[in-house]
Amino acid sequence: MSAALPTSSREWHLVARPHGWPKAEDFALRETEVAAPAEGRILVRNKFFSVDPYMRGRMNDVKSYTPPFKLDHPMDGGAVGEVIASNAEGFAVGDHVLHGLGWREIADVPAKHAVKVDPDLAPLSAYLGVLGMTGLTAYAGLFDVASFKEGDAVFVSGAAGAVGSQVGQLARLKGASRVIGSAGSDEKVKLLTEEYGFDAAFNYKNGPVRDQLKEAAPDGIDVYFDNVGGDHLEAAIGALNVHGRATICGMIAQYNATEPTPGPRNMALIIGKRLRLQGMLVGDHADLQPKFVEEVAGWLASGELKYRETTVEGIENGYDAFVGLLRGENTGKMIVSLA
Ligand SMILES: NC(=O)c1ccc[n+]([C@@H]2O[C@H](COP(=O)([O-])OP(=O)(O)OC[C@H]3O[C@@H](n4cnc5c(N)ncnc54)[C@H](OP(=O)(O)O)[C@@H]3O)[C@@H](O)[C@H]2O)c1
């Protein structure tokens, strides 16, 4: 046990359920007392926590694959930090751990829900992104769910984000015939083609997705990795070749919608083209974790895989980071730094 523990910690609470776009009044940064960890628990000083699009769904009071955030309770999510007190076998003060109690400065974590990480192998924040949840999503979603094979032409939306930028580069590294991405600014589009090796990219705000995709993929696509939904999905169904596959990973275009959103109008194409559209949840793919870490760590070390992070400094800016993510203010993984 450590001698001088902090006595208080700040944490973000959801105080009202957002209707449409979240507002600052829906959240509060509150102070709480810190106690020594009970048996089987560790106290962690968080250095980075993750803000992710799926958290918007957890702000609604609806049944889903993850329970909704409780009002007037701390929100949670991925975080990495340093153990400052341990009452659990196998964890010592000074260890670095990945765990699920983000959105707060000091986390009282059940040791069985913490995984040790090595800060010398990769920067700590990478365990939330390229080597973490979003990285595994890209890896599993492309190689397992979409059954990617060498020679496939791949289109990914949200391509400058954490998942999307990794999907495009993984496809390139494994021999895609063509990699196409869409993103929400000309600067992001430039990054895709000039740094990440995409063959073509377009800004979806510059014109209809269907027309821009047709131009970028004149011979059609074999795989679509959907992070966005809406007009992107409809355009991809139109562009997919016979026996094409789509991983339905996210539909961020509708996360703040207040009315049901219309589906693609060209679903009948699925029949004649024998398409497979499959939803995915990263949590189902833990079996791929060792292979994912080995391969991705190798590509990072060789410089073949690149990544960006957008880091927002300070716990007091946690809400701004989250809303900024929904607005597209991030390039690569959006992370809040408490370091
Ligand atoms: N199924 C799973 O297990 C799983 C796991 C992780 C993530 N996901 C999903 O994967 C997607 C990407 O997640 P991420 O963590 O990598 O986030 P991210 O892509 O790093 O950040 C979200 C991005 O979405 C884009 N965006 C926001 N509104 C949009 C709109 N109306 N139309 C098109 N793009 C929009 C913004 O970029 P622009 O500037 O390009 O608009 C923003 O940067 C999300 O849909 C998320 O829910 C699913």
Side-chain angles (χ1 to χ4, degrees), residues 113-137:
H113 295 156
V115 177
K116 277 197 228 179
V117 293
D118 184 351
D120 296 327
L121 206 67
L124 278 179
S125 55
Y127 294 101
L128 297 174
V130 68
L131 275 174
M133 187 275 279
T134 55
L136 180 60
T137 303

Side-chain angles (χ1 to χ4, degrees), residues 52-54 133-134 137 158 161-164 183-184 188 204 227-228 232 249-253 255 280-282 325-326 328 330 332:
D52 295 278
Y54 78 88
M133 187 275 279
T134 55
T137 303
V163 173
K188 289 183 180 182
Y204 66 84
N227 288 316
V228 168
H232 274 84
C249 173
M251 295 203 175
I252 198 166
Y255 292 173
M280 77 164 289
L281 285 179
V282 62
L325 170 81
L326 298 177
N330 61 308

Side-chain angles (χ1 to χ4, degrees), residues 21 50-55 65 133-134 137-138 157-165 182-185 188 204-205 225-229 231-232 248-255 279-285 324-334:
W21 279 84
S50 181
V51 287
D52 295 278
Y54 78 88
M55 292 170 175
Y65 59 94
M133 187 275 279
T134 55
T137 303
S157 54
V163 173
S165 59
S182 67
S185 76
K188 289 183 180 182
Y204 66 84
K205 294 174 182 166
F225 196 109
D226 193 15
N227 288 316
V228 168
D231 54 353
H232 274 84
I248 311 300
C249 173
M251 295 203 175
I252 198 166
Q254 67 185 50
Y255 292 173
M280 77 164 289
L281 285 179
V282 62
D284 293 342
H285 298 276
L325 170 81
L326 298 177
R327 289 196 193 114
E329 288 168 11
N330 61 308
T331 302
K333 184 80 191 82
M334 185 67 118

